[in-house]
């Protein structure tokens, strides 16, 4: 007797690969901050094309700053003021920027899996 044609098990779909564009740590941290800002209407506006314009970039006070309802350490935000980081994220299609005046997160940037969100953003108690 011949084995059935479909005797091999069907493999489950693979989860999205973390950091498929091979962003460096500073680029990843900056993207995490942009993604969190994009989640909140007080700091972002959705455009007709699907981009999210970030109208307010955070300003550190002391060793931390607020990003939406989360807190990030100032040391994790140096990419917000770094034109090379913005250029790399734009080159990879994750943002559309006009450093230092404005930035829009593209749909690819909104959905990008960094794998480090929990390392950069922390729950806020104030």
């Amino acid at each position: 007797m011949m084995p059935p044609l479909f005797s091999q098990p069907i493999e489950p779909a693979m989860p999205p690969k973390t950091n498929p564009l091979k962003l460096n740590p500073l680029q990843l941290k900056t993207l995490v901050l942009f993604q969190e800002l994009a989640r909140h209407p007080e700091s972002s506006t959705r455009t007709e094309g699907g981009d999210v314009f970030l109208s307010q970039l955070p300003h550190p006070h002391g060793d931390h700053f607020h990003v939406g309802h989360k807190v990030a350490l100032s040391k994790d935000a140096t990419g917000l003021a770094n034109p090379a980081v913005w250029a790399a994220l734009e080159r990879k299609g994750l943002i559309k920027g006009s450093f230092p005046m404005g930035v829009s997160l593209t749909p690819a940037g909104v959905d990008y899996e960094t794998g480090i969100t929990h390392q950069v953003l922390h729950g806020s108690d104030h």
Side-chain angles (χ1 to χ4, degrees):
M1 180 154 43
M2 297 210 30
L5 288 174
F6 301 104
S7 63
Q8 297 177 347
I10 297 174
E11 305 239 353
M14 295 291 292
K17 181 180 176 187
T18 302
N19 195 16
L21 296 176
K22 298 182 180 6
L23 301 178
N24 70 33
L26 184 56
Q27 294 163 356
L28 285 170
K29 290 175 185 179
T30 304
L31 183 58
V32 166
L33 298 173
F34 286 158
Q35 288 172 333
E36 185 63 22
L37 289 166
R39 289 183 181 89
H40 301 283
E42 61 272 7
S43 59
S44 67
T45 306
R46 291 213 175 262
T47 66
E48 288 182 26
D51 293 346
V52 182
F53 176 71
L54 303 179
S55 54
Q56 295 180 28
L57 294 181
H59 299 286
H61 52 279
D63 65 349
H64 73 283
F65 62 97
H66 300 269
V67 185
H69 302 297
K70 303 283 185 171
V71 173
L73 299 177
S74 297
K75 68 178 183 141
D76 290 330
T78 57
L80 293 176
N82 185 324
V85 170
W86 284 42
L89 294 174
E90 187 162 22
R91 190 172 51 253
K92 294 184 183 229
L94 302 172
I95 69 168
K96 295 176 186 170
S98 178
F99 183 85
M101 300 191 302
V103 64
S104 292
L105 205 55
T106 65
V110 170
D111 295 336
Y112 192 82
E113 180 55 52
T114 65
I116 65 162
T117 300
H118 66 283
Q119 295 171 22
V120 175
L121 299 173
H122 311 279
S124 173
D125 60 359
H126 64 283

